[in-house]
Each structure stands twice: as C-alpha cells, then as structure tokens.
Amino acid sequence: MALIATLFSAGHSPAFANVKVGEKAPDFTLVDSNGKAVKLSSYAGKTVVLEWFNKGCPYVKKHYESKNMQALQKTYTEKGIVWLTVISSAPKKQGYETPVEANKTRAEWSIASTATLLDQKGEVGRAYGAKTTPHMYVVDPKGLLAYNGAIDSISSSDADDIPKSVNYVSGALDLVAAGKPVTMASTKPYGCSVKY
C-alpha cells in the first residue's frame, strides 16, 4: 500500500496490483458523481461491494437490462451494505462518463448502488487489479478483501443465463454477514476490458 501511495503521489500510473483475498483492501479516496469525496476506510465496520462499471459493455448491460444488478444493489444496501459502482474508463475512452453523465445513467438505469465513483486516472482500478466490467470485490467489515472475481458462474452476455448461474457476490455477502468464511472467494472475472 505504501508503494502504491508513493506511486500515486509521484504521478506515475502504477502497474496492476495483485490484491489477494484475506489481505487488507487498498484504501482510496475518490469523488462520486455528486462531487462528494468517498474514502473506503470511512466505512470501517461495514461490508463494502466494489463493482467496476462501463455502460457500453454488453456484459454490464446483461445484468442491468435484466434488472439483476439493481435487485442485488437494492437487496444488500437495504441490509446496510455499502455498494460502490466504479468507473475507471479514461477520458476519451469508451465508457468514460462526466459527473453529469454518470448521474444521468444512474437515473435512466435505476442504479441502486450507494454511489458512482469516478476513477478517471484508473489508479484505484489498477490498485485492485480490476480487469473487466463488471469486476466485483467484497470488502468485509474488518477491511479485508473477502471476494474478488466474477459476478456469477456463467461467462456470457446473455441475460437468459442469469437464472441458471450461481451468483458469487450474493453468496459471498451472505457468508460474510453470517460470520463464515467465503467458500468461493476468488473467481475469474468476465466481461469487457476496463478502458484505462
């Protein structure tokens, strides 16, 4: 983390980090689509979901047009879980959104996460090793990474596959809430590449 912080302050683009399940999740501060600074460590004691997002990605559309993602966001935020949607697309790259555009997307897509965070420099995405949209992470109340990987078990852009799949994120969240180890804690994420 110290190395990452050093690289950030030096203005370099860090290489992809190798964040491991069971280790401390890298802390960060990003500005959300409403201009509010959001610091991960300010949610100590709560479970946090990090969801990498790109509105132009067919794999993201699969989970939003079916309302699967919104249902998950609503279910778990109502249980006190913090759900942060992160956009790491760089300016002029596909999927980049200004704060106004991100708020418009939130409204039009009925996104029910806690906030949309704008990671224009891609620093947080690289710190977590986020490679796809969606790429999902769960941080437990102790600030440890409890899950890293795909949203579910079927790597496709077909919404008809959602009912047939195992949802890894809800499985991880339910186990964390029960105080149990996450059995499927690391999976291969699928989707579109993050447009750093």
Side-chain angles (χ1 to χ4, degrees):
M1 187 59 205
L3 174 62
I4 292 167
T6 300
L7 290 172
F8 284 3
S9 63
H12 297 290
S13 294
F16 280 100
N18 186 20
V19 179
K20 294 180 180 174
V21 168
E23 294 183 352
K24 193 77 173 174
D27 195 16
F28 62 81
T29 301
L30 284 175
V31 175
D32 72 11
S33 57
N34 293 310
K36 178 186 172 187
V38 174
K39 186 175 177 65
L40 178 67
S41 58
S42 70
Y43 295 116
K46 292 190 173 185
T47 299
V48 179
V49 175
L50 302 176
E51 169 213 347
W52 260 262
F53 177 86
N54 179 335
K55 68 180 289 187
C57 172
Y59 296 88
V60 171
K61 289 181 178 178
K62 163 190 174 183
H63 291 286
Y64 275 96
E65 291 177 354
S66 64
K67 305 296 182 190
N68 179 52
M69 192 71 84
Q70 296 94 324
L72 288 168
Q73 293 165 342
K74 190 170 188 301
T75 295
Y76 287 101
T77 56
E78 286 179 353
K79 293 180 179 180
I81 287 169
V82 176
W83 191 300
L84 301 174
T85 303
V86 184
I87 301 174
S88 291
S89 293
K92 299 183 181 177
K93 295 284 184 74
Q94 193 271 327
Y96 170 77
E97 295 188 60
T98 65
V100 171
E101 290 167 340
N103 279 334
K104 185 179 178 187
T105 301
R106 286 185 66 83
E108 290 178 350
W109 289 33
S110 302
I111 295 176
S113 64
T114 307
T116 295
L117 308 185
L118 306 175
D119 179 33
Q120 298 176 1
K121 294 181 180 177
E123 293 173 333
V124 174
R126 288 186 178 93
Y128 275 80
K131 294 178 174 64
T132 64
T133 51
H135 190 156
M136 309 296 296
Y137 297 84
V138 174
V139 181
D140 74 11
K142 296 178 181 175
L144 304 177
L145 194 65
Y147 177 75
N148 171 2
I151 184 170
D152 63 23
S153 61
I154 299 181
S155 173
S156 83
S157 58
D158 186 350
D160 290 342
D161 288 331
I162 293 173
K164 297 178 279 187
S165 67
V166 175
N167 192 292
Y168 297 137
V169 176
S170 61
L173 290 171
D174 292 343
L175 287 169
V176 168
K180 297 179 179 177
V182 177
T183 50
M184 189 70 80
S186 184
T187 64
K188 183 178 180 181
Y190 71 85
C192 308
S193 63
V194 177
K195 306 299 187 288
Y196 292 110

PDB file of all heavy atoms in Angstrom, residues 121-144:
ATOM      1  N   LYS A 121      -8.310   8.506 -13.602  1.00  0.00           N
ATOM      2  CA  LYS A 121      -6.899   8.167 -13.816  1.00  0.00           C
ATOM      3  C   LYS A 121      -6.655   6.668 -13.735  1.00  0.00           C
ATOM      4  O   LYS A 121      -5.546   6.210 -14.004  1.00  0.00           O
ATOM      5  CB  LYS A 121      -6.027   8.900 -12.793  1.00  0.00           C
ATOM      6  CG  LYS A 121      -6.037  10.417 -12.973  1.00  0.00           C
ATOM      7  CD  LYS A 121      -5.145  11.091 -11.948  1.00  0.00           C
ATOM      8  CE  LYS A 121      -5.169  12.608 -12.134  1.00  0.00           C
ATOM      9  NZ  LYS A 121      -4.353  13.302 -11.096  1.00  0.00           N
ATOM     10  N   GLY A 122      -7.681   5.935 -13.336  1.00  0.00           N
ATOM     11  CA  GLY A 122      -7.553   4.479 -13.262  1.00  0.00           C
ATOM     12  C   GLY A 122      -6.701   3.993 -12.107  1.00  0.00           C
ATOM     13  O   GLY A 122      -6.335   2.814 -12.050  1.00  0.00           O
ATOM     14  N   GLU A 123      -6.372   4.862 -11.175  1.00  0.00           N
ATOM     15  CA  GLU A 123      -5.468   4.482 -10.096  1.00  0.00           C
ATOM     16  C   GLU A 123      -6.075   3.434  -9.163  1.00  0.00           C
ATOM     17  O   GLU A 123      -5.391   2.479  -8.768  1.00  0.00           O
ATOM     18  CB  GLU A 123      -5.055   5.724  -9.300  1.00  0.00           C
ATOM     19  CG  GLU A 123      -4.194   6.687 -10.104  1.00  0.00           C
ATOM     20  CD  GLU A 123      -3.921   7.984  -9.388  1.00  0.00           C
ATOM     21  OE1 GLU A 123      -4.731   8.398  -8.541  1.00  0.00           O
ATOM     22  OE2 GLU A 123      -2.887   8.598  -9.686  1.00  0.00           O
ATOM     23  N   VAL A 124      -7.339   3.593  -8.840  1.00  0.00           N
ATOM     24  CA  VAL A 124      -7.977   2.632  -7.935  1.00  0.00           C
ATOM     25  C   VAL A 124      -8.202   1.307  -8.663  1.00  0.00           C
ATOM     26  O   VAL A 124      -7.989   0.237  -8.103  1.00  0.00           O
ATOM     27  CB  VAL A 124      -9.289   3.208  -7.360  1.00  0.00           C
ATOM     28  CG1 VAL A 124     -10.028   2.156  -6.546  1.00  0.00           C
ATOM     29  CG2 VAL A 124      -8.987   4.434  -6.513  1.00  0.00           C
ATOM     30  N   GLY A 125      -8.609   1.396  -9.920  1.00  0.00           N
ATOM     31  CA  GLY A 125      -8.784   0.175 -10.692  1.00  0.00           C
ATOM     32  C   GLY A 125      -7.509  -0.631 -10.765  1.00  0.00           C
ATOM     33  O   GLY A 125      -7.512  -1.854 -10.582  1.00  0.00           O
ATOM     34  N   ARG A 126      -6.407   0.043 -11.021  1.00  0.00           N
ATOM     35  CA  ARG A 126      -5.116  -0.656 -11.104  1.00  0.00           C
ATOM     36  C   ARG A 126      -4.687  -1.164  -9.732  1.00  0.00           C
ATOM     37  O   ARG A 126      -4.087  -2.232  -9.614  1.00  0.00           O
ATOM     38  CB  ARG A 126      -4.059   0.268 -11.691  1.00  0.00           C
ATOM     39  CG  ARG A 126      -4.250   0.534 -13.181  1.00  0.00           C
ATOM     40  CD  ARG A 126      -3.092   1.329 -13.759  1.00  0.00           C
ATOM     41  NE  ARG A 126      -3.226   1.546 -15.188  1.00  0.00           N
ATOM     42  CZ  ARG A 126      -3.787   2.619 -15.729  1.00  0.00           C
ATOM     43  NH1 ARG A 126      -4.264   3.584 -14.957  1.00  0.00           N
ATOM     44  NH2 ARG A 126      -3.882   2.738 -17.040  1.00  0.00           N
ATOM     45  N   ALA A 127      -4.978  -0.390  -8.675  1.00  0.00           N
ATOM     46  CA  ALA A 127      -4.602  -0.817  -7.317  1.00  0.00           C
ATOM     47  C   ALA A 127      -5.297  -2.113  -6.928  1.00  0.00           C
ATOM     48  O   ALA A 127      -4.743  -2.926  -6.188  1.00  0.00           O
ATOM     49  CB  ALA A 127      -4.933   0.280  -6.306  1.00  0.00           C
ATOM     50  N   TYR A 128      -6.514  -2.298  -7.461  1.00  0.00           N
ATOM     51  CA  TYR A 128      -7.258  -3.527  -7.164  1.00  0.00           C
ATOM     52  C   TYR A 128      -7.030  -4.607  -8.225  1.00  0.00           C
ATOM     53  O   TYR A 128      -7.444  -5.746  -8.049  1.00  0.00           O
ATOM     54  CB  TYR A 128      -8.760  -3.224  -7.040  1.00  0.00           C
ATOM     55  CG  TYR A 128      -9.127  -2.753  -5.652  1.00  0.00           C
ATOM     56  CD1 TYR A 128      -8.895  -1.432  -5.260  1.00  0.00           C
ATOM     57  CD2 TYR A 128      -9.635  -3.635  -4.722  1.00  0.00           C
ATOM     58  CE1 TYR A 128      -9.173  -1.012  -3.978  1.00  0.00           C
ATOM     59  CE2 TYR A 128      -9.927  -3.226  -3.432  1.00  0.00           C
ATOM     60  CZ  TYR A 128      -9.706  -1.918  -3.075  1.00  0.00           C
ATOM     61  OH  TYR A 128      -9.971  -1.509  -1.796  1.00  0.00           O
ATOM     62  N   GLY A 129      -6.420  -4.221  -9.344  1.00  0.00           N
ATOM     63  CA  GLY A 129      -6.256  -5.181 -10.424  1.00  0.00           C
ATOM     64  C   GLY A 129      -7.554  -5.432 -11.162  1.00  0.00           C
ATOM     65  O   GLY A 129      -7.761  -6.525 -11.703  1.00  0.00           O
ATOM     66  N   ALA A 130      -8.435  -4.437 -11.203  1.00  0.00           N
ATOM     67  CA  ALA A 130      -9.719  -4.594 -11.898  1.00  0.00           C
ATOM     68  C   ALA A 130      -9.466  -4.686 -13.394  1.00  0.00           C
ATOM     69  O   ALA A 130      -8.880  -3.784 -13.981  1.00  0.00           O
ATOM     70  CB  ALA A 130     -10.637  -3.419 -11.579  1.00  0.00           C
ATOM     71  N   LYS A 131      -9.914  -5.769 -13.999  1.00  0.00           N
ATOM     72  CA  LYS A 131      -9.611  -6.015 -15.403  1.00  0.00           C
ATOM     73  C   LYS A 131     -10.835  -5.968 -16.307  1.00  0.00           C
ATOM     74  O   LYS A 131     -10.698  -5.777 -17.509  1.00  0.00           O
ATOM     75  CB  LYS A 131      -8.926  -7.383 -15.543  1.00  0.00           C
ATOM     76  CG  LYS A 131      -7.550  -7.439 -14.883  1.00  0.00           C
ATOM     77  CD  LYS A 131      -6.933  -8.822 -15.003  1.00  0.00           C
ATOM     78  CE  LYS A 131      -5.509  -8.842 -14.479  1.00  0.00           C
ATOM     79  NZ  LYS A 131      -5.436  -8.544 -13.044  1.00  0.00           N
ATOM     80  N   THR A 132     -12.006  -6.202 -15.739  1.00  0.00           N
ATOM     81  CA  THR A 132     -13.194  -6.292 -16.585  1.00  0.00           C
ATOM     82  C   THR A 132     -14.341  -5.466 -15.991  1.00  0.00           C
ATOM     83  O   THR A 132     -14.313  -5.066 -14.835  1.00  0.00           O
ATOM     84  CB  THR A 132     -13.692  -7.748 -16.694  1.00  0.00           C
ATOM     85  OG1 THR A 132     -14.102  -8.199 -15.394  1.00  0.00           O
ATOM     86  CG2 THR A 132     -12.618  -8.669 -17.238  1.00  0.00           C
ATOM     87  N   THR A 133     -15.337  -5.261 -16.845  1.00  0.00           N
ATOM     88  CA  THR A 133     -16.615  -4.735 -16.351  1.00  0.00           C
ATOM     89  C   THR A 133     -17.679  -5.779 -16.676  1.00  0.00           C
ATOM     90  O   THR A 133     -17.782  -6.163 -17.844  1.00  0.00           O
ATOM     91  CB  THR A 133     -16.975  -3.392 -17.006  1.00  0.00           C
ATOM     92  OG1 THR A 133     -16.890  -3.505 -18.437  1.00  0.00           O
ATOM     93  CG2 THR A 133     -16.037  -2.299 -16.522  1.00  0.00           C
ATOM     94  N   PRO A 134     -18.411  -6.255 -15.686  1.00  0.00           N
ATOM     95  CA  PRO A 134     -18.189  -5.967 -14.266  1.00  0.00           C
ATOM     96  C   PRO A 134     -17.038  -6.813 -13.697  1.00  0.00           C
ATOM     97  O   PRO A 134     -16.813  -7.918 -14.157  1.00  0.00           O
ATOM     98  CB  PRO A 134     -19.514  -6.392 -13.616  1.00  0.00           C
ATOM     99  CG  PRO A 134     -20.033  -7.491 -14.499  1.00  0.00           C
ATOM    100  CD  PRO A 134     -19.579  -7.145 -15.890  1.00  0.00           C
ATOM    101  N   HIS A 135     -16.320  -6.247 -12.732  1.00  0.00           N
ATOM    102  CA  HIS A 135     -15.375  -6.992 -11.898  1.00  0.00           C
ATOM    103  C   HIS A 135     -15.797  -6.653 -10.478  1.00  0.00           C
ATOM    104  O   HIS A 135     -15.932  -5.481 -10.141  1.00  0.00           O
ATOM    105  CB  HIS A 135     -13.935  -6.560 -12.185  1.00  0.00           C
ATOM    106  CG  HIS A 135     -12.883  -7.438 -11.555  1.00  0.00           C
ATOM    107  ND1 HIS A 135     -11.607  -7.535 -12.059  1.00  0.00           N
ATOM    108  CD2 HIS A 135     -12.904  -8.254 -10.464  1.00  0.00           C
ATOM    109  CE1 HIS A 135     -10.891  -8.379 -11.323  1.00  0.00           C
ATOM    110  NE2 HIS A 135     -11.665  -8.811 -10.337  1.00  0.00           N
ATOM    111  N   MET A 136     -16.011  -7.669  -9.666  1.00  0.00           N
ATOM    112  CA  MET A 136     -16.643  -7.476  -8.370  1.00  0.00           C
ATOM    113  C   MET A 136     -15.680  -7.790  -7.223  1.00  0.00           C
ATOM    114  O   MET A 136     -14.942  -8.780  -7.282  1.00  0.00           O
ATOM    115  CB  MET A 136     -17.878  -8.386  -8.246  1.00  0.00           C
ATOM    116  CG  MET A 136     -18.860  -8.312  -9.404  1.00  0.00           C
ATOM    117  SD  MET A 136     -19.666  -6.711  -9.631  1.00  0.00           S
ATOM    118  CE  MET A 136     -20.601  -6.581  -8.115  1.00  0.00           C
ATOM    119  N   TYR A 137     -15.735  -6.965  -6.190  1.00  0.00           N
ATOM    120  CA  TYR A 137     -14.943  -7.187  -4.978  1.00  0.00           C
ATOM    121  C   TYR A 137     -15.865  -7.009  -3.768  1.00  0.00           C
ATOM    122  O   TYR A 137     -16.759  -6.161  -3.788  1.00  0.00           O
ATOM    123  CB  TYR A 137     -13.810  -6.168  -4.862  1.00  0.00           C
ATOM    124  CG  TYR A 137     -12.798  -6.233  -5.977  1.00  0.00           C
ATOM    125  CD1 TYR A 137     -13.025  -5.579  -7.180  1.00  0.00           C
ATOM    126  CD2 TYR A 137     -11.613  -6.947  -5.841  1.00  0.00           C
ATOM    127  CE1 TYR A 137     -12.102  -5.636  -8.219  1.00  0.00           C
ATOM    128  CE2 TYR A 137     -10.681  -7.010  -6.866  1.00  0.00           C
ATOM    129  CZ  TYR A 137     -10.932  -6.344  -8.052  1.00  0.00           C
ATOM    130  OH  TYR A 137     -10.012  -6.411  -9.075  1.00  0.00           O
ATOM    131  N   VAL A 138     -15.607  -7.780  -2.724  1.00  0.00           N
ATOM    132  CA  VAL A 138     -16.300  -7.609  -1.448  1.00  0.00           C
ATOM    133  C   VAL A 138     -15.252  -7.363  -0.369  1.00  0.00           C
ATOM    134  O   VAL A 138     -14.304  -8.155  -0.237  1.00  0.00           O
ATOM    135  CB  VAL A 138     -17.165  -8.835  -1.090  1.00  0.00           C
ATOM    136  CG1 VAL A 138     -17.766  -8.678   0.318  1.00  0.00           C
ATOM    137  CG2 VAL A 138     -18.269  -9.041  -2.123  1.00  0.00           C
ATOM    138  N   VAL A 139     -15.407  -6.272   0.363  1.00  0.00           N
ATOM    139  CA  VAL A 139     -14.517  -5.939   1.475  1.00  0.00           C
ATOM    140  C   VAL A 139     -15.301  -6.150   2.765  1.00  0.00           C
ATOM    141  O   VAL A 139     -16.412  -5.613   2.912  1.00  0.00           O
ATOM    142  CB  VAL A 139     -14.045  -4.466   1.379  1.00  0.00           C
ATOM    143  CG1 VAL A 139     -13.102  -4.133   2.534  1.00  0.00           C
ATOM    144  CG2 VAL A 139     -13.358  -4.213   0.037  1.00  0.00           C
ATOM    145  N   ASP A 140     -14.755  -6.952   3.669  1.00  0.00           N
ATOM    146  CA  ASP A 140     -15.517  -7.273   4.889  1.00  0.00           C
ATOM    147  C   ASP A 140     -15.411  -6.136   5.918  1.00  0.00           C
ATOM    148  O   ASP A 140     -14.666  -5.160   5.716  1.00  0.00           O
ATOM    149  CB  ASP A 140     -15.090  -8.630   5.453  1.00  0.00           C
ATOM    150  CG  ASP A 140     -13.727  -8.609   6.138  1.00  0.00           C
ATOM    151  OD1 ASP A 140     -13.162  -7.530   6.383  1.00  0.00           O
ATOM    152  OD2 ASP A 140     -13.225  -9.716   6.438  1.00  0.00           O
ATOM    153  N   PRO A 141     -16.153  -6.219   7.014  1.00  0.00           N
ATOM    154  CA  PRO A 141     -16.161  -5.120   7.995  1.00  0.00           C
ATOM    155  C   PRO A 141     -14.796  -4.831   8.628  1.00  0.00           C
ATOM    156  O   PRO A 141     -14.581  -3.750   9.181  1.00  0.00           O
ATOM    157  CB  PRO A 141     -17.171  -5.590   9.047  1.00  0.00           C
ATOM    158  CG  PRO A 141     -18.101  -6.487   8.287  1.00  0.00           C
ATOM    159  CD  PRO A 141     -17.214  -7.212   7.322  1.00  0.00           C
ATOM    160  N   LYS A 142     -13.859  -5.798   8.548  1.00  0.00           N
ATOM    161  CA  LYS A 142     -12.509  -5.567   9.065  1.00  0.00           C
ATOM    162  C   LYS A 142     -11.601  -4.899   8.033  1.00  0.00           C
ATOM    163  O   LYS A 142     -10.425  -4.653   8.310  1.00  0.00           O
ATOM    164  CB  LYS A 142     -11.887  -6.903   9.503  1.00  0.00           C
ATOM    165  CG  LYS A 142     -12.608  -7.561  10.662  1.00  0.00           C
ATOM    166  CD  LYS A 142     -11.967  -8.899  11.002  1.00  0.00           C
ATOM    167  CE  LYS A 142     -12.701  -9.586  12.146  1.00  0.00           C
ATOM    168  NZ  LYS A 142     -12.158 -10.936  12.413  1.00  0.00           N
ATOM    169  N   GLY A 143     -12.144  -4.650   6.843  1.00  0.00           N
ATOM    170  CA  GLY A 143     -11.343  -4.034   5.793  1.00  0.00           C
ATOM    171  C   GLY A 143     -10.523  -5.025   5.001  1.00  0.00           C
ATOM    172  O   GLY A 143      -9.635  -4.632   4.247  1.00  0.00           O
ATOM    173  N   LEU A 144     -10.831  -6.309   5.151  1.00  0.00           N
ATOM    174  CA  LEU A 144     -10.111  -7.349   4.413  1.00  0.00           C
ATOM    175  C   LEU A 144     -10.888  -7.733   3.158  1.00  0.00           C
ATOM    176  O   LEU A 144     -12.123  -7.758   3.164  1.00  0.00           O
ATOM    177  CB  LEU A 144      -9.911  -8.595   5.291  1.00  0.00           C
ATOM    178  CG  LEU A 144      -9.200  -8.366   6.629  1.00  0.00           C
ATOM    179  CD1 LEU A 144      -9.139  -9.670   7.419  1.00  0.00           C
ATOM    180  CD2 LEU A 144      -7.803  -7.793   6.404  1.00  0.00           C
TER     181      LEU A 144
END
